[in-house]
Amino acid sequence: SHHKCLEPSAGHGGLADFMPSEQTICVEVSPLKCQVLDSKGFRVYEADFLKWAANGGCFDRIVMNPPFSEGRAQVHLEAAASLTKSGSRIVAILPAGMKNKQVLNAEWNCTWSEVYSGEFTGTNVSVVILLAERC
């Protein structure tokens, strides 16, 4: 399929690595990480995702692991949702405390995974995976 894909706050592209590189855009604020992403063949925008998203755009698939601190996961999720259309999907790794909350408006069907703990080396954060499909 020819979905237009996005990994916001892409880091080293750990999620984008599983997406079709020719159809995937990565947004990352760190110049060094942008070089890594570029070397992997992704289209890269060196930018703060929230500022970049304010310019608009439209994606069919967004896979994201947003920053968690200070409620930023919710803000980043909303920014990602603003870049979608009917039929789009977002898969997001989120703090476990967000599970089953109304994180997106009624246009979205949200399905939540079980809670995963200790999955990320060096952290004890518990996460949940959201699959959101826009009606």
Side-chain angles (χ1 to χ4, degrees):
S1 61
H2 295 285
H3 295 301
K4 192 172 173 190
C5 306
L6 172 69
E7 185 182 356
S9 305
H12 292 107
L15 297 173
D17 285 341
F18 295 95
M19 297 156 73
S21 60
E22 66 282 353
Q23 295 157 228
T24 300
I25 289 175
C26 294
V27 179
E28 172 54 48
V29 72
S30 158
L32 187 59
K33 290 176 183 172
C34 285
Q35 290 177 3
V36 171
L37 293 164
D38 185 63
S39 73
K40 289 181 169 187
F42 296 110
R43 273 183 48 205
V44 183
Y45 290 90
E46 184 183 321
D48 173 280
F49 173 64
L50 296 179
K51 291 179 179 143
W52 183 86
N55 294 318
C58 193
F59 294 88
D60 303 296
R61 301 289 183 263
I62 300 176
V63 183
M64 61 192 299
N65 181 8
F68 286 8
S69 62
E70 298 155 13
R72 291 189 297 167
Q74 179 67 40
V75 176
H76 280 245
L77 181 61
E78 290 168 4
S82 75
L83 302 175
T84 63
K85 62 181 187 287
S86 177
S88 295
R89 287 185 187 171
I90 296 174
V91 176
I93 300 169
L94 299 171
M98 292 176 74
K99 183 171 181 172
N100 296 326
K101 296 227 167 74
Q102 185 71 43
V103 294
L104 293 168
N105 68 30
E107 301 184 320
W108 293 88
N109 292 322
C110 294
T111 308
W112 298 91
S113 74
E114 63 187 287
V115 172
Y116 297 95
S117 297
E119 296 291 324
F120 295 99
T121 307
T123 72
N124 60 357
V125 66
S126 293
V127 300
V128 66
I129 299 171
L130 167 67
L131 169 59
E133 299 178 275
R134 188 166 174 184
C135 308

